[in-house]
Amino acid sequence: MKLEQIKEHPDFPFRDFRKDDLQFLMLELYWAELLRDSLPEAVATDWGPEWAADPEDGNPILSVSNRKLMPPRMLRIIQNINDDQFPELDLETEEEPIRYRAPVYAAFVPGMTYGQQDQDLQTPIEELVILSEVSEVCERMVRDYIRLWCAERVPESQMDEVVTAYWAQAEANQIDPEEDEDQGVSIFDRDRLTPPDTCIRP
């Protein structure tokens, strides 16, 4: 099933995947097809499945690796949902950005994991982790990150600069907690960027 066909499904964007098995399968297929659609065919063949998708919380919803590279390079996508109905941060507005008082929801949150090792506990791995909702905006951003990380294979240090720039822009749109004593927690749940308790295949 092609990506556009998936997006024509009546249940798209599959927000009830935690309760509906069919929606979970369609959501998993959406992310797999988005990855395939974002990569040149010659590059796509180098990427294979790593961890199984988790129907309970969508961490991960997609996990793939390129083990032809050394160190192995991985991509993990975690399904993001605004369960708490917080105001959503807008990072695409070209006009003067709105500043948000936390807590705020970010539909797209990239991050890198550092110091991870393969199953042999010796071989280092490189992993880009993306929390993302299913939307047109998120799809464009995910494609950009896939292009850099998977197709162009930019160095980890360069990808870290891209992620850092994203965080700087996002956090610039928040009201400084020192400026407002009623400030809540950070908009980002960084703990979700840790790898799941699943062994990496050798």
Side-chain angles (χ1 to χ4, degrees):
M1 183 178 289
K2 300 298 183 181
L3 186 62
E4 290 307 314
Q5 293 176 304
I6 295 171
K7 292 163 73 171
E8 291 172 357
H9 192 281
D11 291 329
F12 183 81
F14 315 119
R15 290 194 172 95
D16 289 330
F17 74 93
R18 289 172 292 192
K19 300 177 182 178
D20 187 317
D21 291 344
L22 178 58
Q23 287 201 33
F24 167 71
L25 292 174
M26 291 300 296
L27 181 65
E28 186 180 9
L29 184 59
Y30 165 82
W31 286 112
E33 281 299 303
L34 178 57
L35 174 69
R36 185 196 63 78
D37 194 63
S38 301
L39 293 176
E41 185 175 349
V43 175
T45 57
D46 293 337
W47 289 82
E50 192 66 31
W51 295 306
D54 190 329
E56 293 187 8
D57 63 0
N59 182 9
I61 193 65
L62 176 72
S63 176
V64 293
S65 65
N66 183 341
R67 291 185 168 276
K68 292 184 178 180
L69 300 176
M70 187 53 64
R73 178 164 287 202
M74 301 185 182
L75 169 70
R76 176 159 49 106
I77 296 178
I78 301 171
Q79 184 61 43
N80 208 7
I81 299 178
N82 190 7
D83 285 327
D84 296 316
Q85 299 299 304
F86 290 143
E88 183 171 338
L89 192 68
D90 179 6
L91 293 176
E92 284 206 330
T93 301
E94 295 182 359
E95 301 174 356
E96 186 68 22
I98 298 173
R99 299 191 72 210
Y100 297 83
R101 193 183 310 276
V104 177
Y105 171 73
F108 178 86
V109 181
M112 305 291 294
T113 60
Y114 300 99
Q116 299 298 315
Q117 295 177 328
D118 213 335
Q119 195 172 12
D120 61 8
L121 302 181
Q122 294 181 353
T123 305
I125 61 174
E126 298 178 341
E127 184 183 41
L128 171 67
V129 183
I130 298 173
L131 269 76
S132 181
E133 198 173 89
V134 176
S135 71
E136 290 185 10
V137 172
C138 287
E139 184 173 309
R140 288 195 296 271
M141 300 182 82
V142 169
R143 284 182 184 274
D144 286 342
Y145 276 67
I146 287 175
R147 172 180 54 80
L148 291 171
W149 186 246
C150 302
E152 298 182 10
R153 299 176 182 174
V154 300
E156 187 180 45
S157 59
Q158 185 177 339
M159 198 72 216
D160 185 61
E161 291 176 0
V162 173
V163 171
T164 298
Y166 176 92
W167 283 102
Q169 181 182 2
E171 292 174 355
N173 293 341
Q174 297 179 80
I175 295 175
D176 190 329
E178 295 182 0
E179 297 177 1
D180 187 279
E181 62 184 8
D182 296 326
Q183 175 77 5
V185 297
S186 170
I187 63 171
F188 299 112
D189 182 1
R190 297 182 188 228
D191 290 341
R192 298 198 74 203
L193 295 181
T194 56
D197 294 329
T198 307
C199 290
I200 302 168
R201 73 166 190 259

